[in-house]
Amino acid sequence: MPNINRARELLLEQMYGRIMYRQALNAYTHVYDAAFHSTSEADKALKLELAEETLRNLLRMYLEVHDGPDNSIHCE
């Protein structure tokens, strides 16, 4: 049974890694679009807000897994 539990842990880590990568890629896409494909300042601001929100979600997700009780890093 230890091998099955380890396989599950590895699968969860892989799934978590994919989600983190997808979030980072989404944030990059929002920043890239803001820099090179914005039609107005309002459009640019909206795309940068989306990037910020995506990065905040990414950091929250990371901290949910890696933040210990004595860790002082928090995403507001």
Side-chain angles (χ1 to χ4, degrees), residues 16-60:
Y16 177 75
R18 287 180 179 175
I19 292 168
M20 296 282 290
Y21 176 81
R22 190 175 310 124
Q23 291 290 329
L25 183 60
N26 285 342
Y28 171 81
T29 301
H30 293 311
V31 171
Y32 183 86
D33 284 347
F36 299 107
H37 299 285
S38 293
T39 55
S40 67
E41 287 299 316
D43 184 40
K44 182 186 285 188
L46 176 64
K47 289 175 181 177
L48 290 175
E49 281 182 38
L50 289 172
E52 181 182 12
E53 180 181 343
T54 303
L55 288 172
R56 283 184 187 273
N57 290 337
L58 178 73
L59 290 172
R60 278 192 196 100

Side-chain angles (χ1 to χ4, degrees), residues 16 19-20 56-69 71 73-75:
Y16 177 75
I19 292 168
M20 296 282 290
R56 283 184 187 273
N57 290 337
L58 178 73
L59 290 172
R60 278 192 196 100
M61 187 186 323
Y62 177 84
L63 290 175
E64 284 177 7
V65 174
H66 297 288
D67 193 22
N71 193 342
I73 300 173
H74 296 285
C75 180

